[in-house]
Amino acid sequence: MEKSDTLRKTRCSQSFSEGEYAMQFGHFDDARREYVVTTPRTPLPWINYLGSESFFTLLSNTAGGYSFYRDARLRRLTRYRYNNAPLDSEGFHIYVKDGESVWNPGWQPVQAELDEYVCRHGLGYTVIEGKKGGVRAQQELFVPFGDNCLLMRVRVRNDSKEEKRISIFPYVEFCLWDAMDDASNFQRNYSTGEVEIDGAAIYHKTEYRERRDHYAVFWANRAPDGFDTAREAFLGVYGSPARPEAVFGQGCTGSIAHGWQPVAAQQFDLTLAPGASETILFGLGYIENPREEKWEAPNVINKARARAMMARYAADAQFDDALAALSAHWDELLGHYQASTGDEKLDRMVNIWNQYQCMVTFNMSRSASYFESGMGRGMGFRDSCQDLLGFVHIIPERARERILDIAATQFPDGSAYHQYQPLTKKGNLDVGSGFNDDPLWLIAGVDAYLRETGDFAILDERVPFDNDETLSQTLLEHLRRSFRFTSKHLGPHGLPLIGRADWNDCLNLNCFSEQSGESFQTTGPSEGPVAESVFIAGMFVKYGRAWTDILRHVGLVDEARMAERAIASVERATLTAGWDGAWFRRAYDASGNVVGGCECEEGQIFIEPQGMCVMAGIGKDTGEAEKALASVKERLDTKYGIVLLQPAYTRYRLELGEITSYPPGYKENAGIFCHNNPWIVCAEASLGHGARAFEVYCRTAPAYIEDISEIHRTEPYVYSQMIAGCDAPTFGEGKNSWLTGTAAWTFVSVSQAILGVTPTLDGLKLDPCVPASAKGFTVTRLYRGATYHITVDNSAGVEHGVKSVTADGKTLSGNVLPPAAPGAAVDVRVVMG
Ligand code: GLC
Ligand code: GLC
């Protein structure tokens, strides 16, 4: 142990006061709830999500991105080429032609130097503005609430002293609906593309002649001076979006796409007096027609619905109204939890960006980002259950639906499909089941829902098993089977069997894969009789207790007692076979060898069981919890966050699987996996360590690391799944931004563990855990229909402990506020000490 140990300790414990890298590419504008990007040359494209219902657009700070309707694979409206060079050249670009000068307000794809540039990413909208040669051009984009379209307003203004004759060209490239097929089946697709032109609208109707009942439409609110719908006419056969022939040459050609690549390009010639400006409204819509109403004439698509859509956004005032409605929608959503702490970084994370990211993960799960291609996995069982923890307070009704959808994919024995498809809501056969943490995450999700809403009626809902209605049982029965699955799948040490993997998808102890290309997730038996997980043991104790609380609440006291015995026995096993002396072990492999113990050559300590077991309260009274967290600090801490394990694995190990497939410092092999850093925050807070909890929180919170954007590279307003760990040559570099369980867990950690406003089955519990220097703060919380204005007074300067709680002047006997009547406003005063 000693040798490798000292080595690692020095490697990872670096000073936290660097400062020499301070480098930003923009700044926050909290009053407008925006991130303002001030250069198009961000280290990576920095994106935003437009849309929150059915129609979505990913949009970068240079107007790259794509749109889809509901399913990013099956209903992709516009093309996007991942992994392309140059990066990010498809999107919603407009070209400005001013004499010989051609440029884009977002810089891409022509990349002409701009005199001024700014991009404002706001909540559900983005505004990009560029200025060059005395012309200012702005594009404002958003998806209106309640409609299936992307709207874009383009404004151009002549800021020069001379009259300007300029042309504006918008350009989008259509995807032939199924993104996977579109990117591979060229022998067919080059012959199927079809469009129709009708005035200022370009209709994309590929496959509408046969089995599709939907089309896309790109429109402008005024007649263009030209258009193209064939890509090779607009760009040139060997042209590119960086140098479209039509723009650089003689203008649009009026081409009609027959097969090949259908696009929508238009041309508007404007004459602008000095100081004059013009506005054009554009849209990209998705329309479905009932089969019997598909056509308005032979081969002519029925455009009635498209015309109605265009009429809804034909004038500036309509555009403005829709934008105002969107803003009101976000006011309502974010209003459920607002804090004022005196720390502007903390406030902007809690009040704006963390909650915004939680909503995006609710909408997208792990499907479409600039790292997730939208063609891969469906909704994860464990991912979706955890995402719930971050949005249940914002949209409890949607959380309810989501819970019932997820539970319906559970098998009768309590195990679960690891993934399901959002369109069909059916479990995904390719991956199947066998991830033995999955069942317990269902308890976690339902527990969070019950604590938020008090809606115990959900437990009586009848929900199918394996999507089979004839196998329906109550949701309560589903939870029972979840709990029972774990208690019936214990290994030689009395710890839960791991199956294919637990939370760590890459710790594959029953896999033994020797062939390249085999899936680590599905190779080998779905469960071995020996490999056990200490992490699942921690989950079983934590969420098992949540289960017994629920049981007692619904009066099933005997069952609760029985469950408590099962929990106590796993807890004992965790403190014996699961305890290594100074931290919790990670697992036992298929041969019964310790994973994550000091006898291991590499991978001696892992973060996950320390976080989960301490959150579960294991070893809290007997000292192990304190020791485990001290070991995390000593061995896993780095200036950019806590790494997943140490020492990193340096070679592939058959008996451990995918985790050892990653080079040291990346992903699950000792990367800073942001998702489980907040577990340590919660764990530290559960021991009353306010300063340490906040320190860990700040280490990965985007707003606090904005000035290392050059190193971090991903967006400074959202979490990434992973930051390269101290063993990686690119230590500190973020990857896989946006779609990560980190969003939900960091919100739980900051809103509940640190600021201490935690829903329980009986009401709102107030138990802050903060640095002693934090003298007080306020939180406004909408909870079960009532609004609580909470003021926390820490003039005592403690890290935790509540001396008194008063509600509307009346002193409470504990620190749990019983739910007030819906509509009530309650003034709460918490005195720490
Ligand atoms: C990814 C998965 C998540 C898993 C984690 C660790 O983020 O979406 O389900 O827990 O990786 O492997
Ligand atoms: C890979 C990733 C892991 C993710 C999994 C999803 O194993 O490393 O993070 O959870 O794929 O299938």
Side-chain angles (χ1 to χ4, degrees), residues 692-708:
R692 171 67 178 159
F694 191 59
E695 174 189 54
V696 175
Y697 170 78
C698 294
R699 212 62 70 67
T700 56
Y704 290 88
I705 57 174
E706 189 192 7
D707 61 359
I708 58 151

Side-chain angles (χ1 to χ4, degrees), residues 495-701:
L495 295 165
L497 292 169
I498 196 168
R500 294 197 179 283
D502 58 24
W503 173 88
N504 191 329
D505 270 337
C506 299
L507 192 60
N508 315 119
L509 304 180
N510 294 306
C511 173
F512 294 95
S513 172
E514 287 190 281
Q515 300 304 317
S516 63
E518 271 176 0
S519 159
F520 287 106
Q521 316 259 294
T522 54
T523 302
S526 64
E527 185 175 281
V530 174
E532 299 166 288
S533 162
V534 179
F535 174 78
I536 301 181
M539 277 191 86
F540 185 69
V541 175
K542 178 167 165 59
Y543 296 115
R545 293 217 171 104
W547 167 235
T548 60
D549 286 348
I550 294 170
L551 284 173
R552 285 180 189 279
H553 233 268
V554 299
L556 297 171
V557 179
D558 289 344
E559 189 177 353
R561 283 205 195 99
M562 258 164 57
E564 274 150 8
R565 281 197 288 279
I567 295 166
S569 120
V570 169
E571 187 171 19
R572 272 194 304 279
T574 308
L575 283 169
T576 50
W579 181 249
D580 202 63
W583 58 82
F584 292 100
R585 292 175 170 160
R586 181 64 178 84
Y588 284 88
D589 71 16
S591 313
N593 296 320
V594 171
V595 180
C598 63
E599 77 219 58
C600 304
E601 187 196 349
E602 297 174 328
Q604 294 174 339
I605 172 171
F606 283 64
I607 190 174
E608 307 100 302
Q610 322 313 326
M612 191 51 77
C613 294
V614 178
M615 282 197 288
I618 303 177
K620 187 171 171 181
D621 302 328
T622 43
E624 290 88 348
E626 286 280 356
K627 276 193 198 156
L629 294 185
S631 297
V632 167
K633 186 165 185 189
E634 191 178 303
R635 288 155 199 274
L636 299 178
D637 238 16
T638 80
K639 59 181 173 179
Y640 298 134
I642 302 173
V643 294
L644 195 146
L645 63 88
Q646 277 294 297
Y649 293 106
T650 53
R651 62 181 172 84
Y652 178 59
R653 290 168 196 260
L654 202 57
E655 74 283 10
L656 300 181
E658 184 171 3
I659 191 165
T660 60
S661 75
Y662 286 112
Y666 293 106
K667 295 279 284 180
E668 282 86 343
N669 186 14
I672 298 159
F673 224 87
C674 299
H675 188 139
N676 34 41
N677 275 244
W679 295 347
I680 300 299
V681 173
C682 295
E684 292 284 3
S686 75
L687 300 186
H689 303 158
R692 171 67 178 159
F694 191 59
E695 174 189 54
V696 175
Y697 170 78
C698 294
R699 212 62 70 67
T700 56

Side-chain angles (χ1 to χ4, degrees), residues 85 173 201 475-476 536 761:
E173 182 177 353
L475 183 64
L476 187 83
I536 301 181
L761 296 180

